[in-house]
Amino acid sequence: MSDATERLADLVAAAKRAGADAAEAMLAEGRSVSVQRRLGALEQVERAESRDIGLRVFVGRRQAVVATTDDSPAGFARLAER
């Protein structure tokens, strides 16, 4: 099991400890590079990286969805409590 998979399993477990009947978690990562040229000359280069974590919890017949970009253990704990 990968580190990311283990961390998401920990997040689901934290949500259940916080009172969820069931939960699911997801992680999306993205990277992009943008290069702009003008009249053949390099004008601008940008690089972007993102990491988003989502958690859906079910309590009885209700559900809630929360998300964060904080993938620290404290961030996961706060996400599970929300």
Side-chain angles (χ1 to χ4, degrees):
M1 192 181 303
S2 73
D3 182 52
T5 303
E6 290 176 22
R7 303 251 348 261
L8 292 176
D10 291 344
L11 179 57
V12 168
K16 288 182 178 181
R17 284 192 304 274
D21 296 327
E24 61 185 12
M26 59 79 65
L27 168 70
E29 291 182 302
R31 292 178 186 85
S32 67
V33 176
S34 172
V35 178
Q36 295 180 7
R37 300 180 71 90
R38 181 180 295 208
L39 301 175
L42 180 64
E43 187 169 82
Q44 183 174 348
V45 177
E46 293 180 351
R47 177 185 166 137
E49 296 182 5
S50 66
R51 177 178 243 184
D52 300 306
I53 298 106
L55 176 67
R56 181 165 67 155
V57 298
F58 301 89
V59 179
R61 295 178 53 103
R62 299 180 341 181
Q63 67 174 313
V65 178
V66 291
T68 187
T69 57
D70 182 358
D71 65 351
S72 70
F76 273 23
R78 285 189 299 272
L79 187 64
E81 287 297 320
R82 286 180 24 204

